Amino acid sequence: MSSDDDLHDLDDGGLHDLSHAVGNGDAKRRKVLIMRACDVCRRKKIRCDAHSQPGTRCSHCVTYKLECTFVEGAKKRGPPKGPYDACSYIDDLEDRCKLLEQLVLRIAPDTNLDEEVGPAFTKDTWATVKGNRYARGGARQSSGTMIRVPTRASSSVPALPPSPPIGNPFMRHLGLPDESSLGSPMLPHPDTLEKATLDMHRGEMDSDDEHNFTTSTGALIKHIETRLDELKITDCQKRFHGKSSGATLIQAAMNLKDQVTGSASDAQPRVINLRPKFWRPSPWEWIYDRPPPLDSLAFPPDDLMDELIELCFERIMILFPVLHRPLLEKHRKENRHRNDINFARVLLGVCAIGARFSDDERVCLPSEDGSGPEWSSAGWKYFAQVVSLKRPILAPTGLSDLQSTALSTIYLFGTSAPHSSWLITGIGLRFAQDIGAHREKVYGPDHPFENQLWKRAFWSLVALDRITSAGFGRPSVAFDEDIDADLPLEVDDEYYDEEKKEWKQPADKPSKLAAFNQYAKLQGILAYAIRTVYSINKSKVHLGFVGPEWETRTVAELDSALNSWLDNIPDHLKWDPNIEDPTFFVQAAILRVTFHYVQITIHRPFIPVLTGNNSSPLGFPSLAICTTAARSVSHILEAWMKKSMDITPLLQVIAFQAGTILLISIWGVKKSKLNVDVSSQAADVQRCIKVLSKAEKKWHFAGRFCDILTELASFNEVPIPENTPTPPDTTRKRGREEDDTLATLVA
């Protein structure tokens, strides 16, 4: 029995007596030995008077004729009982104190903590500092002692960088969603999502898909929140777990245990022992990615920013409704981009895209030869800052992550490395799947506004993923069988009623968002075509695409789906070159050229001149369909150019493919030595080249497309439009790098 054990078991009276027994070591030791309660009194938890009775036998043992012994070891009192020890608990509290002190100094850097709570000390010096104790509103004197861990340079936790005291600064520093910002409202908390909530205490699950649920920091956070409430840093780490996840197996095992033991009930939540060390975020993992200070960001001047925002929404957002404009304008007027890193990323992305359509030289970098602005660099100065505001990899997904990723995809598609847009889109969809944005049951009825923002961003990423995957001949991330989230409501931004918390489009006013929903449906047909017509042989066997008729049957189904889509398109989005409303003209034109692009994609693999298979029943019909679709594209683009509107990257890709198909058709006629007039098709090729030639000033890869079509047309004796630059030395042998580039673009 040690003296430490004795000290733990001194009652108040004994402790008072002990304070006077400091004369010599033996007396002190003897005093301590007889002042602890005997074993019987300790077990019964009654007061023991052995120290005041003759023979050191307490009155209780004398009365009941029991042996009065002092043999049993004392149990240490202190922090929580459980599988984790007191030292771990204290270490966790110390880590939390360090983070809290840093947070206080960030919010109020002028605060003198020494004056408020007493001087700092370490574990070795704390005993010499008396009377300092934490108290709300300031320090107060007490007979006890409270450790305040140091936040000086010796601290093992890195100091957090200073940041304006807006919203939740610690969350913002970590890149975690902060509900005070536009760029970071989380999906509604799982506790409010009736369809998605897994009540781990009651074992309630969604009846339709009982194994899918959203959890916080792992599948068992509901169990440990009460046990670790004093240790958790944030409760915003919402993650989605599907049927095959290990969390589902754990839940089933715990439910079975409850049935066997009868331990779980509504009144008595399940309590499990978890060691905090393994259930809280590690500080060194979170505080490693420090973005630059927001005051170092260079936003465009207010007049230029107004123009760029307007151009972005006029040219891009009318088809990809990634953002809610009134909310963006509101937060911009509040200067939220000056103190919110998430909104700053979104606004810079908007400015970068708008700069692509601006004629203001301020959006460009200087040319290499110093002759003036480099127009193909328009917006890069803003996009480069988006990249610098890097998102911590470990942070949970916020709405701004999806929005910023979609904006980055749109911008990168027009750069010299368009393939990077495919990479970024895939990352954005992983962000969305991480939070469960692809599942309808994650969207509850209590947050209609936030739900629509999430759906807009998610479905924009899906559409971008499918069009880029088809363009580069690469796999898509989003499959229809994994998505059951509804498309966004067809209600324009200005018709959200904040008081009633509902979206309502006037019956007599067509919605601008209807175009995006139609575009998303069209992309669904394209995605199915890529997975069937263009699937590898191994996949065809698994999917049952075998036999002589599967191609005919599959193509017929796709054609039927396209015709059904065309028949059901709203009247205001049906193509007519005389549409007066500029917004509906742009939307109708893009939808129709995309329709023809999907047609070409479906039938292109069966063109006889490309496959060498003249016996296929799909051969010549496919050539005719592709040629007709390509000519329609050239005519629609001609009507577009008459409106003096900029050619977006999507239209450039379609123009290039249409021109290539027309040239293939001309070659096919010449190869067959048929007496057919191809002058009209040659004129259509010229239209496609003109479109690309006009766009190449600002769009890097439009110049590449123009060079390729011009070179191909030169072999076909197709007249090249005036003012079209001819690639130098077209007869020289291309290197391997150029061949790879051409293959990528043609794909």
Side-chain angles (χ1 to χ4, degrees):
M1 181 178 59
S2 67
S3 59
D4 289 338
D5 291 343
D6 298 333
L7 288 173
H8 278 294
D9 288 274
L10 293 174
D11 54 33
D12 293 340
L15 185 60
H16 175 74
D17 294 338
L18 180 64
S19 64
H20 299 284
V22 294
N24 57 63
D26 294 339
K28 177 180 178 181
R29 188 179 300 108
R30 193 159 49 250
K31 184 72 171 177
V32 170
L33 290 174
I34 65 173
M35 287 189 63
R36 61 161 296 190
C38 70
D39 297 337
V40 175
C41 293
R42 284 168 56 83
R43 289 195 297 268
K44 293 181 175 292
K45 297 183 179 180
I46 59 177
R47 190 175 184 84
C48 182
D49 57 358
H51 64 284
S52 61
Q53 296 295 327
T56 65
R57 293 189 65 195
C58 68
S59 57
H60 179 78
C61 292
V62 171
T63 302
Y64 292 97
K65 298 180 181 180
L66 300 173
E67 183 179 3
C68 192
T69 60
F70 299 84
V71 176
E72 296 179 2
K75 295 181 180 180
K76 292 186 178 182
R77 299 172 184 170
K81 302 175 178 62
Y84 43 85
D85 55 29
C87 293
S88 298
Y89 176 82
I90 294 173
D91 289 341
D92 291 332
L93 290 179
E94 289 178 357
D95 290 341
R96 180 175 172 82
C97 287
K98 292 176 185 179
L99 295 173
L100 290 175
E101 283 201 357
Q102 294 172 25
L103 176 59
V104 170
L105 292 176
R106 286 187 56 201
I107 297 175
D110 297 330
T111 301
N112 189 332
L113 294 179
D114 291 347
E115 293 181 359
E116 296 292 334
V117 297
F121 46 84
T122 66
K123 295 179 180 179
D124 297 330
T125 63
W126 74 270
T128 62
V129 183
K130 302 291 184 180
N132 295 313
R133 191 183 184 94
Y134 282 110
R136 185 172 298 179
R140 70 183 181 192
Q141 297 299 316
S142 172
S143 59
T145 310
M146 189 71 178
I147 299 176
R148 180 166 70 86
V149 295
T151 58
R152 311 300 193 264
S154 61
S155 174
S156 61
V157 179
L160 301 180
S163 178
I166 302 296
N168 188 329
F170 185 67
M171 298 283 286
R172 184 172 61 251
H173 168 72
L174 296 181
L176 301 179
D178 181 355
E179 293 183 358
S180 64
S181 66
L182 165 73
S184 55
M186 290 293 297
L187 272 176
H189 192 283
D191 289 344
T192 68
L193 302 178
E194 297 177 358
K195 294 183 180 179
T197 300
L198 173 66
D199 190 331
M200 301 292 283
H201 295 325
R202 301 185 182 183
E204 297 174 356
M205 286 187 172
D206 185 272
S207 59
D208 176 60
D209 193 0
E210 67 276 12
H211 296 302
N212 286 318
F213 51 88
T214 302
T215 63
S216 299
T217 319
L220 300 179
I221 192 65
K222 283 289 183 181
H223 297 280
I224 65 173
E225 280 184 344
T226 55
R227 297 295 304 273
L228 303 183
D229 185 63
E230 70 277 12
L231 295 176
K232 65 182 180 180
I233 293 178
T234 172
D235 60 356
C236 291
Q237 301 177 42
K238 310 305 175 200
R239 308 288 188 187
F240 178 85
H241 296 268
K243 293 181 180 180
S244 63
S245 67
T248 301
L249 183 62
I250 295 173
Q251 173 62 24
M254 298 187 76
N255 288 341
L256 180 60
K257 177 185 175 183
D258 292 341
Q259 295 174 12
V260 175
T261 63
S263 59
S265 66
D266 294 346
Q268 183 68 31
R270 181 190 293 117
V271 177
I272 59 177
N273 294 319
L274 300 171
R275 293 172 291 175
K277 176 181 179 181
F278 301 103
W279 291 88
R280 61 177 173 81
S282 300
W284 59 86
E285 293 176 347
W286 289 97
I287 312 176
Y288 79 99
D289 233 351
R290 298 187 181 181
L294 290 178
D295 55 10
S296 67
L297 299 178
F299 291 92
D302 289 342
D303 63 319
L304 181 57
M305 187 181 292
D306 291 337
E307 177 191 350
L308 300 183
I309 293 176
E310 182 69 23
L311 287 171
C312 180
F313 277 88
E314 280 186 357
R315 308 297 170 85
I316 296 297
M317 295 299 154
I318 59 173
L319 185 63
F320 295 99
V322 179
L323 303 172
H324 183 262
R325 184 169 184 177
L327 187 61
L328 180 136
E329 296 282 9
K330 173 186 175 183
H331 288 164
R332 181 206 162 191
K333 291 179 180 178
E334 296 172 351
N335 286 322
R336 187 162 293 189
H337 54 289
R338 301 293 183 184
N339 47 54
D340 184 347
I341 188 174
N342 294 311
F343 181 63
R345 286 190 342 218
V346 171
L347 186 58
L348 285 170
V350 170
C351 293
I353 294 174
R356 286 292 194 185
F357 304 96
S358 174
D359 294 325
D360 196 314
E361 295 183 359
R362 290 177 292 176
V363 302
C364 301
L365 300 174
S367 61
E368 295 181 2
D369 57 7
S371 60
E374 180 57 63
W375 286 104
S376 62
S377 70
W380 184 261
K381 61 173 67 176
Y382 310 126
F383 177 76
Q385 297 179 85
V386 175
V387 177
S388 69
L389 298 176
K390 48 191 175 182
R391 172 191 182 276
I393 297 176
L394 300 180
T397 300
L399 176 59
S400 66
D401 296 320
L402 272 63
Q403 294 172 333
S404 180
T405 304
L407 296 174
S408 298
T409 298
I410 295 170
Y411 181 83
L412 287 170
F413 200 64
T415 65
S416 61
H419 57 275
S420 58
S421 62
W422 175 80
L423 297 171
I424 297 297
T425 306
I427 295 173
L429 283 173
R430 290 302 187 200
F431 287 157
Q433 292 169 349
D434 179 46
I435 203 68
H438 59 299
R439 300 303 309 274
E440 178 61 28
K441 66 182 191 175
V442 174
Y443 302 93
D446 300 329
H447 303 270
F449 181 71
E450 291 81 0
N451 288 348
Q452 290 305 309
L453 294 183
W454 277 89
K455 288 184 177 181
R456 289 185 180 190
F458 168 70
W459 278 106
S460 294
L461 284 171
V462 171
L464 289 168
D465 173 62
R466 288 172 172 174
I467 193 67
T468 55
S469 296
F472 292 109
R474 299 175 180 177
S476 176
V477 174
F479 301 114
D480 285 333
E481 55 265 33
D482 298 325
I483 303 172
D484 65 0
D486 294 336
L487 289 167
L489 293 176
E490 295 182 0
V491 182
D492 297 339
D493 289 351
E494 57 268 29
Y495 298 116
Y496 175 71
D497 191 330
E498 293 189 10
E499 294 183 0
K500 296 182 179 180
K501 302 296 181 183
E502 64 180 8
W503 299 80
K504 189 174 182 180
Q505 181 78 13
D508 59 344
K509 188 174 180 62
S511 172
K512 298 175 183 177
L513 262 75
F516 172 72
N517 285 353
Q518 294 299 320
Y519 184 77
K521 294 175 182 178
L522 192 56
Q523 293 302 319
I525 300 175
L526 176 62
Y528 183 77
I530 297 299
R531 296 192 66 193
T532 53
V533 176
Y534 290 87
S535 61
I536 61 177
N537 292 334
K538 183 177 179 180
S539 298
K540 290 177 181 178
V541 173
H542 289 167
L543 295 173
F545 298 149
V546 293
E549 298 181 356
W550 80 265
E551 291 179 343
T552 304
R553 183 175 62 254
T554 301
V555 171
E557 291 175 356
L558 290 168
D559 285 338
S560 176
L562 281 176
N563 293 332
S564 176
W565 177 89
L566 191 61
D567 292 339
N568 290 285
I569 196 170
D571 291 338
H572 70 282
L573 295 177
K574 293 182 177 179
W575 169 243
D576 184 344
N578 300 316
I579 296 177
E580 296 182 358
D581 187 288
T583 297
F584 294 150
F585 175 88
V586 170
Q587 292 178 337
I590 292 177
L591 287 176
R592 180 55 69 90
V593 297
T594 305
F595 168 83
H596 292 307
Y597 170 77
V598 176
Q599 273 188 318
I600 293 173
T601 303
I602 292 172
H603 289 274
R604 193 179 77 190
F606 308 105
I607 297 178
V609 72
L610 297 180
T611 62
N613 182 10
N614 295 326
S615 62
S616 172
L618 295 174
F620 291 102
S622 291
L623 176 60
I625 291 173
C626 288
T627 302
T628 302
R631 298 195 64 184
S632 298
V633 168
S634 68
H635 295 159
I636 295 172
L637 293 179
E638 184 179 38
W640 181 288
M641 292 182 66
K642 288 180 179 179
K643 298 279 188 178
S644 299
M645 293 187 297
D646 291 299
I647 308 299
T648 63
L650 176 62
L651 294 181
Q652 296 166 29
V653 172
I654 297 176
F656 171 72
Q657 292 222 7
T660 305
I661 289 294
L662 290 169
L663 288 172
I664 291 174
S665 177
I666 295 173
W667 287 334
V669 171
K670 290 188 175 183
K671 182 179 179 181
S672 302
K673 298 180 180 181
L674 298 175
N675 187 19
V676 178
D677 184 13
V678 295
S679 59
S680 60
Q681 296 183 30
D684 292 333
V685 174
Q686 293 183 47
R687 294 187 181 96
C688 295
I689 294 177
K690 284 182 179 180
V691 168
L692 297 172
S693 178
K694 179 181 179 180
E696 69 180 15
K697 177 182 178 181
K698 294 183 179 180
W699 307 90
H700 192 280
F701 72 90
R704 295 181 181 178
F705 288 155
C706 187
D707 287 348
I708 297 172
L709 276 186
T710 301
E711 181 177 352
L712 294 176
S714 65
F715 289 104
N716 244 333
E717 300 178 359
V718 175
I720 300 175
E722 296 181 3
N723 301 324
T724 299
T726 302
D729 192 14
T730 57
T731 60
R732 68 179 177 85
K733 184 177 180 180
R734 292 189 299 268
R736 180 180 180 87
E737 182 178 351
E738 292 186 14
D739 287 337
D740 291 342
T741 301
L742 291 175
T744 300
L745 292 175
V746 172

